[in-house]
């Protein structure tokens, strides 16, 4: 199976393009912030937001008054981008300096999730993408909170991943220059948790945090 299409095909450095769902889904599942692009009333918009994935579907959630979600819930099309920077590539020349990265752009139409059970399941998917295990530790949304939340499903119709890995690639003559070159790795890490002031001394750090901090 391939998610390649005319619009998702990578033209600049096509060897970096990947269209198999396994690669695309792996990048989506390694992150939880995306940028959602759409056109409304002839004007382009782009909104950063959290997401979760289940199969071929991406779930977004927010206020029932959200302009973006209201627009997408009516069936509008969206482009969703996720970027993960893995390293800064410092070449001898500025022209060949770059970044190592894993990125994804997928396309699909929005559809509102209205059934309470389906909405709750979608919220669980998003919550577990952001912080695995927290769904079972915290109070779940009540009926009023669920009614105040809009959930939209974006079915992935097509898309592509674009990946750069590896060392500096300079012009042959530039390797003779007395200029440092290399890759500075970049990673996201979690620091020690800071308890809320209202937490009593008898309340211990929950398992979901302990598991994440031990990695």
């Amino acid at each position: 199976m391939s998610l390649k299409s005319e619009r998702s095909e990578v033209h600049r450095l096509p060897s970096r393009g990947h269209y198999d769902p396994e690669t695309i889904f792996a990048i989506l599942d390694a992150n939880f912030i995306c940028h959602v692009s759409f056109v409304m009333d002839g004007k382009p918009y782009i909104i950063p937001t959290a997401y979760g994935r289940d199969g071929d579907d991406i779930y977004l959630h927010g206020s029932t008054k959200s302009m973006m979600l209201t627009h997408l819930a009516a069936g509008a099309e969206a482009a969703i981008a996720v970027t993960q920077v893995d390293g800064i590539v410092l070449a001898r020349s500025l022209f060949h300096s770059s970044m190592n990265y894993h990125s994804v752009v997928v396309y699909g139409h929005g559809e509102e999730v209205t059934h309470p059970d389906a909405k709750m399941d979608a919220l669980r998917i998003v919550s577990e993408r952001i912080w695995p295990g927290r769904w079972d530790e915290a109070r779940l949304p009540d009926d009023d909170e669920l009614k105040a939340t809009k959930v939209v499903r974006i079915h992935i119709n097509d898309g592509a991943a674009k990946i750069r890995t590896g060392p500096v690639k300079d012009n042959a003559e530039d390797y003779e220059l007395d200029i440092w070159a290399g890759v500075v790795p970049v990673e996201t890490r979690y620091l020690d948790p800071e308890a809320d002031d209202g937490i009593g001394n008898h309340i211990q750090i929950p398992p979901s945090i302990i598991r994440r901090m031990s990695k």
Side-chain angles (χ1 to χ4, degrees):
M1 178 180 176
S2 174
L3 294 176
K4 186 177 182 179
S5 68
E6 183 177 354
R7 66 177 171 182
S8 71
E9 183 177 1
V10 176
H11 295 283
R12 171 63 179 157
L13 300 173
S15 62
R16 297 182 185 177
H18 302 264
Y19 307 96
D20 59 291
E22 292 78 13
T23 299
I24 292 172
F25 293 168
I27 296 172
L28 291 175
D29 292 348
N31 298 275
F32 56 81
I33 296 293
C34 68
H35 286 77
V36 182
S37 301
F38 56 96
V39 175
M40 187 173 67
D41 298 329
K43 299 178 181 179
Y45 294 86
I46 183 167
I47 306 292
T49 188
Y51 69 91
R53 182 191 70 87
D54 183 41
D56 296 337
D57 298 321
I58 288 179
Y59 289 96
L60 310 175
H61 80 294
S63 168
T64 55
K65 298 179 180 180
S66 165
M67 174 191 70
M68 176 185 74
L69 294 179
T70 299
H71 183 63
L72 296 179
E77 192 171 32
I80 298 176
V82 171
T83 303
Q84 172 185 312
V85 178
D86 304 312
I88 307 300
V89 180
L90 301 174
R92 292 163 182 82
S93 69
L94 291 176
F95 182 82
H96 287 295
S97 294
S98 184
M99 287 181 286
N100 283 339
Y101 59 88
H102 286 67
S103 66
V104 160
V105 176
V106 293
Y107 305 90
H109 289 84
E111 176 189 15
E112 185 172 5
V113 179
T114 57
H115 192 282
D117 291 342
K119 285 180 68 174
M120 190 70 84
D121 191 51
L123 295 176
R124 178 190 59 79
I125 290 168
V126 176
S127 174
E128 289 297 288
R129 174 85 305 277
I130 298 171
W131 199 263
R134 189 59 176 169
W135 186 261
D136 294 325
E137 297 171 349
R139 179 182 68 79
L140 300 183
D142 60 27
D143 290 342
D144 289 338
E145 291 168 337
L146 200 60
K147 291 177 182 177
T149 303
K150 188 181 290 292
V151 175
V152 171
R153 177 192 300 112
I154 306 289
H155 182 75
I156 300 173
N157 293 321
D158 52 317
K162 192 174 182 181
I163 301 170
R164 192 220 190 264
T165 60
V168 169
K169 297 179 181 178
D170 267 315
N171 292 336
E173 60 272 19
D174 286 340
Y175 283 89
E176 303 301 321
L177 297 174
D178 292 330
I179 299 174
W180 188 93
V183 176
V184 180
V186 175
E187 66 176 16
T188 298
R189 64 189 182 96
Y190 297 94
L191 304 180
D192 292 339
E194 300 175 0
D196 182 74
D197 290 341
I199 295 294
N201 293 331
H202 65 287
I203 299 178
Q204 302 298 312
I205 295 176
S208 68
I209 296 180
I210 294 174
R211 287 194 298 269
R212 180 63 64 88
M213 299 306 295
S214 65
K215 292 182 179 180

